[in-house]
Amino acid sequence: MENVILNISDKVEGNDFWVISTESINGSVNNTDGRPFEIDKQKIDSNYSEEEILMINNCVGFNAKFDLGFYAMCNREIDHKILGELTLYIAEKFDGLIDFGGAIFPYQSLPNKMKEGMWLWEQANWTDIKPYFDEMVGKIGGKIFTIEYETGNNRNWVYHLCDAEFMRNWLQNKNFGMIK
């Protein structure tokens, strides 16, 4: 893992690293200034509750053992691209899955009334968004897994995990974005 980080970075300090190019991992980013990222490596039971682990295992059909968390410290398009390409490479290398840490959805395809104010974040349930999501992912190859949960204000929401094939295709999709 350390070699991957060293190959794409111009500086590494502890868990922090600055990515300049993803070309060595078959990516497309080549930048003159390092973009700040962080890695967090631990056993899966350190980051997820027993209930979350059970839901994930039931959904994906195997028992995950480790969690490699990659975090972009900025929110520009290049940071999303780097994060996507890095997680794709790691998922392929270790035959793993990518946990988005939240729901991916076709924000641009949603009706304007769904984007007004804080409706999407304070009142929407996943059932409101799901038809637009299904339309979007129906065109993307690979597997995406949906884990449902109830929010603190009693709404039904989800987070997504995917396989490497889905991430490869997601990187090319007009709705592409990572959750950071």
Side-chain angles (χ1 to χ4, degrees), residues 13-98:
E13 292 178 358
N15 290 340
D16 299 327
F17 57 102
W18 286 258
V19 176
I20 55 170
S21 174
T22 58
E23 291 176 343
S24 68
I25 59 170
N26 304 316
S28 63
V29 174
N30 193 355
N31 198 39
T32 55
D33 298 321
R35 304 297 301 162
F37 286 80
E38 182 180 324
I39 185 173
D40 182 25
K41 301 175 275 188
Q42 53 192 314
K43 288 187 173 183
I44 196 163
D45 58 4
S46 301
N47 261 2
Y48 296 85
S49 70
E50 286 183 32
E51 181 182 7
E52 287 175 310
I53 293 171
L54 183 59
M55 287 189 311
I56 291 169
N57 292 348
N58 287 339
C59 186
V60 302
F62 67 88
N63 296 327
K65 300 291 182 196
F66 296 96
D67 177 33
L68 294 174
F70 291 98
Y71 308 97
M73 299 297 118
C74 296
N75 196 26
R76 290 179 42 209
E77 187 176 318
I78 190 173
D79 303 306
H80 286 259
K81 188 70 140 180
I82 291 169
L83 189 57
E85 291 178 352
L86 178 57
T87 58
L88 169 60
Y89 181 81
I90 296 300
E92 288 177 331
K93 186 173 179 70
F94 294 104
D95 195 26
L97 297 175
I98 298 157

Side-chain angles (χ1 to χ4, degrees), residues 113-130:
K113 67 180 181 173
M114 289 184 162
K115 300 177 197 176
E116 291 175 359
M118 293 300 289
W119 179 85
L120 190 59
W121 311 115
E122 294 177 353
Q123 297 175 20
N125 282 295
W126 183 250
T127 53
D128 299 316
I129 308 302
K130 189 176 181 325

Side-chain angles (χ1 to χ4, degrees), residues 135-153:
E135 183 179 327
M136 176 184 74
V137 299
K139 301 171 186 169
I140 301 173
K143 293 180 184 171
I144 186 153
F145 305 96
T146 301
I147 310 287
E148 294 188 29
Y149 65 94
E150 189 172 301
T151 67
N153 60 354

